[in-house]
Amino acid sequence: MQNLTSILLPQIHWIEQYRAIPPVNDENAPGAIAYTISELMDTVKKAIKQNYRIEDEILSKYKQINSFDDRQNTGRIIEFLKQDQIL
């Protein structure tokens, strides 16, 4: 399984280099959008501070595009962040 940084950095480069508009954007994203590593770190810190509570608006958007929900996504993200020694 790829680590989180190797997944995110090419996407960030693609957006910055080609001014591409990703299919998921601020309007329809089922979660916070981070366009830089700094924004991603701020989002992670906010999630930790809020004890990983998912806001109702985000949960609603998530359920509109994802029918699979095992309630383990936060745990998987935390494991990625630990593997990358961010946490």
Side-chain angles (χ1 to χ4, degrees):
M1 187 178 296
Q2 295 179 330
N3 64 34
L4 186 61
T5 302
S6 67
I7 293 168
L8 290 175
L9 286 180
Q11 293 175 13
I12 291 170
H13 171 75
W14 182 68
I15 292 167
E16 290 175 349
Q17 179 72 23
Y18 300 105
R19 306 276 189 246
I21 299 172
V24 176
N25 56 50
D26 292 329
E27 300 292 320
N28 63 7
I33 298 291
Y35 289 101
T36 66
I37 296 297
S38 175
E39 289 175 358
L40 175 62
M41 293 304 301
D42 290 343
T43 299
V44 169
K45 289 175 185 176
K46 180 181 175 185
I48 293 168
K49 188 175 183 177
Q50 293 178 339
N51 199 28
Y52 308 101
R53 185 189 163 284
I54 300 172
E55 298 167 16
D56 291 338
E57 179 182 352
I58 290 173
L59 189 57
S60 174
K61 287 181 179 181
Y62 175 83
K63 289 182 178 183
Q64 288 177 8
I65 62 173
N66 295 291
S67 59
F68 176 76
D69 181 16
D70 68 354
R71 314 247 343 126
Q72 300 302 313
N73 288 342
T74 300
R76 283 190 284 274
I77 291 170
I78 289 170
E79 287 307 311
F80 278 128
L81 294 172
K82 286 179 180 177
Q83 287 173 8
D84 285 352
Q85 298 179 342
I86 294 170
L87 292 179

